[in-house]
Amino acid sequence: MFDFLKTLGEGVLYTLLSPILLLILIVHMAIYVIVFFIMFIKRIILFFQGKDMSIDSELDRAAKYHMDAYKKSLLSKEQDTKQNQNQVPPMPQTTIVQPIIIQTGADGSIKATNLNPQQDTRQERDKQDPIDFTKNTKEISYSEIEELEYMEDQENDK
C-alpha cells in the first residue's frame, strides 16, 4: 500500500511540475533564438562593411598568445637539440679500477676463485653426481595407475 501511495505521489508531483519545467525550456529556447538572429544580423552588417567578424574575447586572445609562445619554445628546443647532436661530447676523464684476484695452486695452476661465497662455482656443480632416474624406480602398469587415481578420488570425496 505504501509503494502505491509513493508512486501516486510521484505521479502527482511530476504532473504539477511538468508545466513549470516546460515553461523554463521554452524561455531558454526563445532567448537562444533571439541571440542567434541578433548575431546573424550583426555579422551580415560587419561583412558588408569589410570589418573583422571574429568574436575573440580577451581570454581567447591571451590563450592564443600563450599557445604561440609555447610552440616557439618547442621549436627553439628542437633546434638546440639538433645543434647538440652535431657536436661530439667530450670523453670522460675518469678511470675505473677493478681488482683482479688470481689464486694459484702449489703447482702454479690457476684456481677458480669464488668472489661470492654463497654462489657455487661451475666446477663444484660438475663434481656432484647427476641425478639418475633409473635408480629406485618401479614399473607401474596402466591398471595400477587407474587404481591409484580411483583411490585418490575416493579420498578427495570424503
Side-chain angles (χ1 to χ4, degrees):
M1 182 70 178
F2 183 70
D3 290 336
F4 173 72
L5 291 176
K6 185 177 176 182
T7 307
L8 183 68
E10 286 178 359
V12 170
L13 183 66
Y14 289 138
T15 304
L16 293 176
L17 289 180
S18 63
I20 297 171
L21 294 174
L22 189 61
L23 181 66
I24 291 171
L25 180 68
I26 290 172
V27 168
H28 271 282
M29 214 165 55
I31 290 171
Y32 290 124
V33 167
I34 292 169
V35 168
F36 172 77
F37 283 116
I38 291 172
M39 296 299 285
F40 180 71
I41 292 169
K42 182 179 176 183
R43 296 286 172 236
I44 290 175
I45 293 170
L46 289 175
F47 175 75
F48 285 113
Q49 288 179 350
K51 294 183 179 176
D52 185 24
M53 294 189 303
S54 66
I55 55 171
D56 291 342
S57 65
E58 289 182 31
L59 185 62
D60 293 330
R61 287 188 291 270
K64 186 176 180 185
Y65 171 77
H66 288 294
M67 286 173 46
D68 290 340
Y70 178 71
K71 288 179 185 177
K72 286 180 184 177
S73 69
L74 286 179
L75 289 174
S76 66
K77 285 181 184 178
E78 286 179 12
Q79 291 173 353
D80 290 343
T81 55
K82 286 180 183 177
Q83 289 175 355
N84 290 341
Q85 287 175 352
N86 294 337
Q87 297 175 354
V88 178
M91 294 298 291
Q93 299 297 324
T94 58
T95 305
I96 299 173
V97 178
Q98 295 180 345
I100 299 173
I101 301 171
I102 300 175
Q103 293 180 351
T104 57
D107 60 349
S109 63
I110 297 176
K111 292 183 178 180
T113 58
N114 189 359
L115 298 178
N116 186 357
Q118 295 175 348
Q119 180 183 11
D120 293 335
T121 61
R122 181 179 294 252
Q123 292 175 352
E124 290 174 5
R125 282 183 288 176
D126 291 342
K127 288 179 186 176
Q128 296 175 355
D129 291 330
I131 299 172
D132 187 8
F133 291 104
T134 60
K135 294 180 182 176
N136 300 328
T137 58
K138 175 182 161 186
E139 292 198 19
I140 300 176
S141 65
Y142 184 73
S143 61
E144 289 176 326
I145 294 173
E146 287 180 341
E147 281 182 31
L148 290 172
E149 289 176 352
Y150 178 74
M151 284 194 271
E152 287 176 3
D153 291 339
Q154 291 293 329
E155 290 176 6
N156 291 336
D157 290 341
K158 290 182 182 179

